[in-house]
Amino acid sequence: MAAKELMEYIMEQLSGLEEIRTIPMMGGYIFYYRERIFGGIYGNGFLVKDTRAGRRYMPDSEPQPPYEGAKDMLPVTILEDGEKLRDMVEKMYEELPERKPGKRAGKGKKGGKKEKSAGASENGGGKRL
């Protein structure tokens, strides 16, 4: 399944949650829940941050790096179970780090790729539910 189709399927599975969005990133997608990154689509599929909640919901998932040099993440093994997936993402939220402000945030500069890539409405770069 191509990254875009997989992203659309995952967004469908997560449709019961509010404040879910994606942004395209290097051929894949990064997933946000309530403005905290919880996972992404990488060359090796859909992975989420390695949290206690993730391990509880997916005890059979073996951590692996999404790309060389990255921290290990958990491959999602419950993708077909939308209810369980939504529950896991909700439980993961408290364990996720808060989103760091962009390099240009608060410095009075306008524009910039960083700010535009995070927006869903101006350039279509994100998808919100």
Side-chain angles (χ1 to χ4, degrees):
M1 184 182 298
K4 183 175 181 180
E5 287 82 20
L6 180 56
M7 178 273 297
E8 290 171 349
Y9 178 72
I10 294 164
M11 291 298 281
E12 208 174 282
Q13 292 294 80
L14 295 171
S15 64
L17 293 177
E18 293 184 17
E19 298 184 63
I20 292 282
R21 71 181 181 99
T22 66
I23 60 168
M25 185 70 66
M26 300 181 337
Y29 291 87
I30 302 297
F31 285 73
Y32 291 83
Y33 175 55
R34 297 172 59 196
E35 292 307 308
R36 293 185 185 178
I37 296 173
F38 71 90
I41 296 173
Y42 303 91
N44 46 354
F46 182 48
L47 291 87
V48 294
K49 298 234 180 190
D50 190 354
T51 63
R52 290 184 305 278
R55 288 176 179 264
R56 209 169 33 253
Y57 278 84
M58 303 181 303
D60 57 332
S61 185
E62 291 293 324
Q64 63 182 25
Y67 51 88
E68 191 174 327
K71 289 183 180 180
D72 282 352
M73 296 179 78
L74 298 173
V76 176
T77 59
I78 58 171
L79 196 52
E80 290 76 29
D81 188 338
E83 184 177 345
K84 196 171 186 179
L85 184 62
R86 288 187 297 275
D87 288 347
M88 179 184 72
V89 171
E90 283 183 311
K91 299 287 191 278
M92 288 175 66
Y93 179 77
E94 292 302 320
E95 298 179 62
L96 299 171
E98 289 187 35
R99 186 171 177 199
K100 295 176 186 170
K103 290 180 183 176
R104 296 178 184 259
K107 294 190 179 178
K109 295 182 180 180
K110 293 183 180 179
K113 284 184 178 181
K114 185 86 170 175
E115 291 174 19
K116 285 184 181 180
S117 69
S121 58
E122 280 189 41
N123 67 357
K127 182 171 181 129
R128 290 185 183 267
L129 265 181

